[in-house]
Amino acid sequence: MTKNSLVLYKNQPAVVKDRDGDKYIIQFCTQAASSGGKKPVYSEQKVREKDVILLHEGPVSGIEKILENASIDFSKEIKEVYELLISDESIVKEGVSLSDLSEYALGKFEGDLCWAFYSSLVKTSEFSLNQDELKNSRIVFNLRTKEEIALLNQKKFEKEHEAEIKNEFINRLKNKKLELPLDSKFMGEVEAFALNKTEKSKILEEAGLPQSIEKAHQLLIDTGIWDYTKNPYPTRFGFSFDSAHEQLGKMKDEQREVVPCVCYAIDSPDASDPDDAVGYDGEWLWVCIADPASTVMPDSSIDIAARNRGTTLYIPEGASRMLCESSLEDYALGLKEKHSGNKDDIKSCALAFKIKLDDESQISEVDIKKVLVHVKMISYAQAEEQKDSAELKPLFEIARRNLKRRNQNNAVTIQMPEVKIKVDKETKKVTVEPEQRYESNDMIQEMMLLAGEGAAKFAFKNKIPFPFVSQEAPSFPDKIPEGWAGEFARVKCMRKRSVGITPAPHAGLGLSFYSQVTSPLRRYSDLIAHQQLRAFIDKRKLIDKDEMLERIAAGDAASIAARKAARLSETHWKLVYLIQNPDKIYDAFCIDKKGNDTLFLIPSLDMQTTLKSCQDISLNDKINVKAGAVNIPLQNVNFIRT
């Protein structure tokens, strides 16, 4: 680099005027000439060699001449040289220097034209400046592929004609005749609005369309951006379709008591996260629960993430788990035994609720232990077949006695229909089938209630701040009808449950103390309970009452949102099922009448519908209905009496 060399300084041309020791004095333009008559302003500055990049050794005529030639457009010559060089594989691979490109394009490498040629190259679609080489003060250009050039030219065209293209899109949107996939990029904003990620949509506003989530949802279906099977509800409530990702640590190496009997994890055949197992040793009932609180400490990153989720989100597409799915093998009960062929030497770590019952099925003693337990996984159907076996018969007998005790305490048992919804991930084909219920389902429910009651009594006795669950007694009318109408009448009278740190009766269950402790892998309130019990057993500091209330409230709020997302997701897929099976006829039972409106329950779908002009129908009467118009965004279906 010598006097009158041309250099690149902060992406602008500069001319070397002199050298001062190890620095160079350069001249450059700090203010360009304007149409108002203002003359350009030039400045000089000392710079280090590494602060500039050599464009041309020179000599050049001066910065004025360089800028005077800057408006010369060499794009035609550059396109021609591109066509010449694109077939040379070595040049395509290695790139080409500024001087060589100038020789190819202009037949010379002239200093006074160098900046103009460089500027044209930088602006062209055919060549790209190699940034890695630029960091080493070398100017090398790479040839873009034909596909890259086409994409760049398209973007350039769109930028230059942005308003015109936008107006054409808005007109197509109004007519619901989009050009896909071209128009998809504009609809991203509408999708964000329909998923409740933004409060409004500028696109909808410009098109004069309603700012309604449901209308946006319908528009996305009508324009083909979304398929009608698209389920937006988890996203709308802020839930990911992915499970928690942070891996739980390995189980602590600590002393654990061995449960003296085999315990049974009884669940649906497709259950993948068993977190409870039950057994009876002839004296004590053992309700063994998964033990994630052994490693998930309060206010750890895993704990906070679980609190924000509140619960595992179960939707027909699958489960979005509160805790990392890859941790199930270590923490869920019976999975290791199942995968190893139920070997007796393999046991699950658990927190056990060791319960003794008196002759009236009241809990006389309860202790909570860190245990190792041999678990056998079986389905409800298998448990039903084995309910008279030596291992399971005592559990069924305990459950029956406990149910009798609760009923004597005015427990409310409501049997509304339940269905299982499955969605094929590939075809989106939906199946809706009634859940088959066995006595084994009820048996496990009673075992879980005993564990919850026992935990609540243990916490109260030991003055442990704890998430107690309560429910005020319902006020039933004097006369309740039979059948489905009666079950519905009971549902309407039930009060909301509440969770707090003060124990109170749970009237619906017929229990004076109750807490949920049997699902710490999938319910945050249960995980909090386990953390407290664990801290008490290990003689560590407990979470205080105020902090417990805050955590309960945060977890419960997230859990309520998850339940809403799950309920709306289930309704969504039921509507998809109705669209996929338009001719199917369903039994519907009258469960309520109000004025000219008659409410019907469709047990095989677990859905309700209101029909008018059914004066001939009495409570529990059955009629046949079929689905008429189905509105996916509004979650509405017009059932027709057949």
Side-chain angles (χ1 to χ4, degrees):
M1 194 162 56
T2 59
K3 186 176 180 179
N4 291 326
S5 292
L6 180 65
V7 295
L8 192 65
Y9 176 65
K10 295 184 178 179
N11 292 322
Q12 293 297 322
V15 174
V16 177
K17 302 301 292 181
D18 208 344
R19 183 166 184 165
D20 185 1
D22 61 348
K23 291 188 177 181
Y24 293 89
I25 301 171
I26 60 171
Q27 184 183 40
F28 54 95
C29 181
T30 55
Q31 179 181 297
S34 68
S35 57
K38 286 186 178 181
K39 294 183 178 181
V41 177
Y42 300 99
S43 297
E44 290 188 357
Q45 185 167 327
K46 290 182 181 180
V47 297
R48 296 167 298 180
E49 185 172 358
K50 68 177 184 178
D51 295 329
V52 295
I53 299 171
L54 182 66
L55 284 173
H56 196 286
E57 285 284 2
V60 296
S61 302
I63 190 65
E64 298 91 342
K65 186 65 175 178
I66 298 297
L67 295 176
E68 183 183 321
N69 292 337
S71 59
I72 300 174
D73 181 13
F74 291 108
S75 57
K76 179 182 177 183
E77 290 83 355
I78 290 170
K79 283 181 173 62
E80 290 173 352
V81 79
Y82 172 83
E83 296 298 334
L84 173 68
L85 300 179
I86 190 63
S87 58
D88 190 324
E89 292 184 7
S90 63
I91 290 180
V92 171
K93 183 179 179 181
E94 301 295 334
V96 58
S97 68
L98 176 63
S99 58
D100 286 347
L101 273 174
S102 181
E103 292 286 354
Y104 285 128
L106 309 178
K108 57 185 176 180
F109 184 43
E110 187 176 326
D112 289 349
L113 296 177
C114 182
W115 170 249
F117 186 68
Y118 171 84
S119 299
S120 294
L121 274 170
V122 170
K123 295 173 186 175
T124 187
S125 302
E126 286 77 18
F127 293 89
S128 64
L129 184 60
N130 190 316
Q131 297 297 325
D132 291 333
E133 293 286 358
L134 195 64
K135 291 176 183 177
N136 296 318
S137 299
R138 292 193 295 268
I139 296 179
V140 176
F141 285 87
N142 295 110
L143 283 71
R144 291 191 173 102
T145 64
K146 298 283 188 180
E147 292 77 13
E148 290 171 332
I149 294 170
L151 183 60
L152 279 173
N153 288 337
Q154 176 66 27
K155 287 181 177 179
K156 183 179 178 182
F157 176 84
E158 289 175 359
K159 188 173 182 179
E160 292 172 350
H161 300 80
E162 185 176 357
E164 179 185 342
I165 291 171
K166 186 76 169 289
N167 288 334
E168 290 174 354
F169 159 73
I170 293 294
N171 288 329
R172 291 194 295 273
L173 181 61
K174 289 179 180 178
N175 296 318
K176 298 180 182 178
K177 293 182 178 179
L178 298 185
E179 295 180 4
L180 299 178
L182 178 65
D183 289 334
S184 297
K185 60 181 178 291
F186 293 111
M187 293 297 286
E189 182 205 288
V190 180
E191 286 189 88
F193 176 69
L195 292 171
N196 202 29
K197 292 182 176 180
T198 59
E199 293 184 358
K200 63 180 182 178
S201 166
K202 190 175 180 181
I203 291 290
L204 293 178
E205 183 180 352
E206 291 177 1
L209 298 173
Q211 296 278 340
S212 156
I213 285 179
E214 293 79 15
K215 294 287 187 182
H217 186 168
Q218 187 64 60
L219 182 65
L220 289 164
I221 293 174
D222 291 342
T223 54
I225 300 294
W226 283 2
D227 187 75
Y228 76 100
T229 62
K230 167 80 173 180
N231 175 16
Y233 297 102
T235 307
R236 282 184 188 173
F237 283 91
F239 289 93
S240 167
F241 282 91
D242 298 324
S243 298
H245 58 83
E246 188 174 349
Q247 179 76 37
L248 277 67
K250 291 291 183 182
M251 282 283 189
K252 288 183 178 179
D253 185 13
E254 57 186 338
Q255 187 174 356
R256 290 178 180 265
E257 183 176 323
V258 177
V259 176
C261 59
V262 173
C263 288
Y264 289 83
I266 303 172
D267 213 327
S268 302
D270 54 352
S272 58
D273 55 354
D275 50 9
D276 57 76
V278 296
Y280 184 65
D281 66 6
E283 181 181 6
W284 296 88
L285 171 67
W286 294 83
V287 182
C288 297
I289 307 299
D291 192 18
S294 61
T295 56
V296 180
M297 295 294 106
D299 278 336
S300 64
S301 56
I302 296 176
D303 177 69
I304 293 169
R307 190 185 314 161
N308 291 337
R309 287 176 179 257
T311 183
T312 288
L313 175 65
Y314 291 100
I315 55 177
E317 299 98 306
S320 175
R321 301 191 187 281
M322 183 182 80
L323 297 176
C324 182
E325 188 154 6
S326 61
S327 300
L328 289 179
E329 183 75 19
D330 288 328
Y331 287 84
L333 301 187
L335 289 185
K336 286 184 177 179
E337 291 94 319
K338 179 182 178 182
H339 296 158
S340 62
N342 286 322
K343 291 180 180 177
D344 291 338
D345 59 338
I346 296 180
K347 294 179 173 63
S348 295
C349 295
L351 195 67
F353 297 83
K354 184 182 177 184
I355 298 169
K356 183 179 283 189
L357 302 169
D358 62 20
D359 294 338
E360 296 179 354
S361 198
Q362 296 281 358
I363 296 176
S364 60
E365 293 182 53
V366 59
D367 200 2
I368 299 174
K369 302 273 190 180
K370 296 178 288 187
V371 300
L372 290 171
V373 55
H374 180 45
V375 177
K376 287 186 179 179
M377 293 179 64
I378 60 174
S379 67
Y380 287 117
Q382 290 170 322
E384 197 72 15
E385 294 172 356
Q386 302 172 36
K387 66 181 178 181
D388 291 325
S389 66
E391 294 84 5
L392 295 185
K393 185 176 181 179
L395 297 174
F396 279 87
E397 290 174 346
I398 290 170
R400 292 171 192 138
R401 289 197 300 270
N402 196 58
L403 177 59
K404 181 180 178 181
R405 171 178 70 98
R406 293 195 304 105
N407 286 338
Q408 289 171 346
N409 290 334
N410 299 314
V412 181
T413 302
I414 299 174
Q415 295 288 350
M416 292 297 281
E418 295 181 13
V419 296
K420 191 171 191 64
I421 306 167
K422 293 183 179 179
V423 180
D424 186 286
K425 291 184 178 180
E426 298 298 325
T427 65
K428 302 301 180 185
K429 179 74 174 175
V430 183
T431 57
V432 180
E433 298 174 347
E435 282 272 21
Q436 189 168 4
R437 193 166 182 88
Y438 302 95
E439 187 185 0
S440 56
N441 293 81
D442 299 328
M443 182 269 282
I444 290 298
Q445 178 176 298
E446 295 301 321
M447 298 296 113
M448 299 305 105
L449 293 178
L450 281 167
E453 183 183 8
K457 288 189 172 186
F458 183 90
F460 181 72
K461 177 183 176 182
N462 292 287
K463 299 180 181 179
I464 302 171
F466 210 63
F468 296 101
V469 184
S470 61
Q471 185 182 43
E472 291 183 16
S475 179
F476 291 132
D478 294 335
K479 188 176 181 181
I480 293 180
E482 299 293 324
W484 291 122
E487 300 298 315
F488 180 69
R490 290 183 181 87
V491 170
K492 289 196 298 180
C493 295
M494 298 304 294
R495 307 288 181 87
K496 286 185 177 180
R497 69 158 204 165
S498 62
V499 183
I501 57 172
T502 304
H506 194 299
L509 296 176
L511 299 174
S512 55
F513 289 87
Y514 182 61
S515 180
Q516 286 185 309
V517 294
T518 57
S519 297
L521 290 177
R522 56 188 179 89
R523 280 197 302 251
Y524 184 69
S525 61
D526 297 41
L527 181 60
I528 295 175
H530 276 238
Q531 288 172 339
Q532 284 292 79
L533 294 172
R534 263 279 188 166
F536 179 81
I537 294 169
D538 295 339
K539 295 180 171 55
R540 290 185 281 109
K541 183 181 178 182
L542 297 171
I543 301 170
D544 64 35
K545 290 183 177 181
D546 291 340
E547 192 175 349
M548 175 64 69
L549 278 172
E550 290 178 8
R551 294 184 185 202
I552 289 171
D556 212 35
S559 181
I560 289 170
R563 288 197 296 272
K564 287 181 180 178
R567 185 178 68 251
L568 292 169
S569 295
E570 288 175 358
T571 301
H572 169 81
W573 289 111
K574 289 175 186 177
L575 297 182
V576 172
Y577 175 79
L578 293 175
I579 291 174
Q580 293 175 349
N581 298 273
D583 299 322
K584 197 170 178 63
I585 305 296
Y586 307 94
D587 292 339
F589 297 85
C590 175
I591 56 173
D592 200 13
K593 301 196 73 165
K594 188 177 290 185
N596 198 35
D597 293 339
T598 303
L599 183 64
F600 288 89
L601 172 69
I602 306 170
S604 61
L605 294 173
D606 184 18
M607 293 184 75
Q608 297 175 12
T609 185
T610 299
L611 299 181
K612 296 185 179 295
S613 302
C614 293
Q615 289 81 358
D616 59 321
I617 298 296
S618 300
L619 291 179
N620 290 316
D621 282 356
K622 183 183 79 171
I623 64 171
N624 291 327
V625 297
K626 66 179 293 187
V630 176
N631 190 309
I632 291 281
L634 291 177
Q635 290 217 326
N636 180 51
V637 54
N638 178 30
F639 281 100
I640 303 166
R641 186 176 178 181
T642 61

